[in-house]
Amino acid sequence: MTTKQKKNQKESRIIFGLFLVAAGVMAALLFRYGPNAGFSKENYVVSFWGDFLFDSPKDYAMNMIAGSTHEYNWDGEIDKTDKSTCLDDGNLFLFDAQTGMYGFADKNGNWLTTGRYDNCDFSHMDKGVIITEEYINYPDYIKHGLLDLNYNELLETKYKNIVFFDNYVYAEEYGRDNCGIFDYSGNAIVESVQSGILLYDDFIVAEIVPSEDRDYYTEGFYGVYDFNGKEIIEPKYDYIFTELGPERFIVRDYDNKYRLFDFEGNDILGECYEEIDCRFLDEEAEYQYIFIIKNEDGTFFICDKDGNKLTDTYEYMEKVKGSNVLFIVGVNGKYGVIDYLGNIYIDFVYDNLGTLKKENDIK
């Protein structure tokens, strides 16, 4: 190579280097002050020179992969819409043209889940869950389920209805009126429950059908649970009556016999009776609540909520008309009147007091 050629090559390199520097400076100025100013490199693909921007991978995924989908109107007509959307975590709720369903993808359009939902409801994300929907016959039959915010399945998409409470959800299935109570991690507090379920502040009264018997029994066995799933009263009873005032359960077994339990599951009376009836008196009474107990031999007595007897045992007992605290009682075929503490108001000398009324006959 001649001296002149070497000189020309050196000058060309210098000029090319200056061109690169100038182009870089110009691109930086255009990017900072030009029409693309303010766009974030995080959300957009920037050219090597930085002088223009491609669409973001997120937008590309939305535009290229999302196709037309379906949504049923109330009149049964199909409306072609696309519910694909960008999520707050940077991922996509995305229509999958291959399955005709929705799934979740990253911002580049890579699937995080399979496309298997007709829609998702994001209104309860503050509780850490996403509601999934599959249409059986929209809008009459929609199956619901739950995902966590990482798109892990908490509840299978099979429930007719999901009701949200502060610390748990009530999920009701289709078909056999089965339901369950679950926490927000998808753990079952009580499941395999029939439609007979009552939710209170501190416990659940539920009609349980064992999973192996669900296809054979139309009715279950009633029990009581707390919201950690702990069993308070074993599910083996025909029905459970809840008395919130005295904080007691009256349970009826399948022989039509009754027992009295407290809210901790203790058997107050220790045995079963023909009938147990709770009565509210008034706030000024010594006992606001009393229990009228009918023995299996047909006799009666009154006790307080702790099982302490307040009266003797009588062959007959009926409330005096117009009074909550006075009772007509019978002993050896003679009738008198007592109050709920056993105090005698009318001696046991009468053959019949059936027409007795407080306002006219008892002072």
Side-chain angles (χ1 to χ4, degrees):
M1 181 181 293
T2 64
T3 302
K4 184 175 181 180
Q5 288 175 326
K6 291 181 180 179
K7 181 179 179 182
N8 291 337
Q9 187 180 53
K10 183 177 181 181
E11 290 175 351
S12 297
R13 288 175 179 173
I14 293 172
I15 293 171
F16 183 70
L18 291 174
F19 173 77
L20 288 177
V21 172
V25 171
M26 181 177 295
L29 291 173
L30 286 171
F31 184 72
R32 181 173 181 82
Y33 300 106
N36 294 316
F39 289 107
S40 169
K41 291 184 180 181
E42 180 181 352
N43 294 325
Y44 289 82
V45 178
V46 184
S47 75
F48 177 79
W49 301 106
D51 55 347
F52 64 91
L53 306 175
F54 294 105
D55 287 336
S56 71
K58 182 183 294 186
D59 289 342
Y60 178 81
M62 294 290 291
N63 292 327
M64 295 297 103
I65 299 178
S68 62
T69 181
H70 61 275
E71 179 176 327
Y72 294 95
N73 295 326
W74 289 99
D75 58 5
E77 296 295 325
I78 297 177
D79 179 23
K80 294 289 186 179
T81 61
D82 185 359
K83 295 185 282 286
S84 299
T85 187
C86 300
L87 304 174
D88 290 341
D89 61 5
N91 293 320
L92 309 173
F93 178 60
L94 196 60
F95 178 70
D96 181 0
Q98 292 184 342
T99 64
M101 307 285 274
Y102 287 85
F104 293 89
D106 64 19
K107 65 181 180 180
N108 295 310
N110 300 310
W111 290 106
L112 303 174
T113 69
T114 58
R116 60 182 184 271
Y117 308 114
D118 281 295
N119 197 12
C120 281
D121 181 347
F122 301 98
S123 61
H124 287 78
M125 292 180 69
D126 60 321
K127 295 185 178 296
V129 295
I130 298 168
I131 307 169
T132 58
E133 297 180 0
E134 292 180 13
Y135 299 158
I136 303 173
N137 183 14
Y138 187 91
D140 297 320
Y141 298 100
I142 303 175
K143 294 191 292 186
H144 301 84
L146 289 182
L147 303 176
D148 65 19
L149 299 187
N150 292 317
Y151 318 120
N152 299 307
E153 186 174 74
L154 302 178
L155 294 183
E156 183 182 349
T157 311
K158 66 176 185 178
Y159 294 96
K160 176 170 63 174
N161 191 29
I162 297 179
V163 182
F164 294 84
F165 297 86
D166 288 342
N167 300 310
Y168 59 89
V169 297
Y170 165 85
E172 181 182 359
E173 293 184 32
Y174 277 99
R176 291 172 292 185
D177 290 328
N178 296 313
C179 55
I181 306 295
F182 303 88
D183 64 21
Y184 280 99
S185 296
N187 302 309
I189 298 172
V190 183
E191 59 181 344
S192 298
V193 181
Q194 290 291 89
S195 56
I197 186 168
L198 297 171
L199 303 174
Y200 296 88
D201 290 340
D202 300 315
F203 56 83
I204 304 164
V205 178
E207 183 185 8
I208 304 297
V209 177
S211 56
E212 64 271 17
D213 297 332
R214 292 173 75 178
D215 293 331
Y216 305 99
Y217 286 90
T218 57
E219 295 182 351
F221 305 90
Y222 280 86
V224 180
Y225 299 82
D226 66 18
F227 283 98
N228 293 316
K230 179 182 176 182
E231 184 180 278
I232 298 175
I233 296 179
E234 182 182 357
K236 64 178 184 179
Y237 295 99
D238 179 48
Y239 198 74
I240 295 178
F241 304 88
T242 305
E243 303 291 346
L244 290 176
E247 298 185 346
R248 294 293 180 263
F249 298 112
I250 299 174
V251 304
R252 182 180 66 211
D253 65 23
Y254 279 88
D255 293 325
N256 251 2
K257 306 300 182 184
Y258 293 80
R259 290 180 178 270
L260 184 65
F261 287 83
D262 64 19
F263 278 9
E264 284 71 49
N266 300 306
D267 190 340
I268 298 298
L269 298 172
E271 55 185 303
C272 59
Y273 292 88
E274 193 69 22
E275 292 179 9
I276 298 178
D277 183 21
C278 179
R279 295 284 180 88
F280 170 72
L281 302 183
D282 59 60
E283 295 180 356
E284 297 181 357
E286 184 174 346
Y287 297 93
Q288 293 184 24
Y289 296 89
I290 59 171
F291 290 84
I292 301 173
I293 311 296
K294 183 179 181 180
N295 293 302
E296 292 191 57
D297 63 2
T299 59
F300 298 83
F301 68 90
I302 295 175
C303 70
D304 65 13
K305 68 175 186 176
D306 296 317
N308 300 308
K309 289 186 69 172
L310 302 178
T311 70
D312 293 331
T313 299
Y314 301 97
E315 297 170 358
Y316 175 87
M317 182 176 290
E318 179 185 358
K319 185 170 72 74
V320 172
K321 295 181 177 68
S323 174
N324 287 326
V325 298
L326 297 177
F327 297 86
I328 300 170
V329 294
V331 178
N332 297 324
K334 297 296 182 180
Y335 297 89
V337 174
I338 64 169
D339 66 11
Y340 69 99
L341 296 174
N343 300 310
I344 298 175
Y345 278 66
I346 296 178
D347 288 331
F348 304 98
V349 296
Y350 294 94
D351 294 328
N352 191 339
L353 291 175
T355 60
L356 190 68
K357 293 183 181 179
K358 180 194 175 197
E359 63 267 25
N360 298 328
D361 304 313
I362 302 176
K363 305 301 181 183

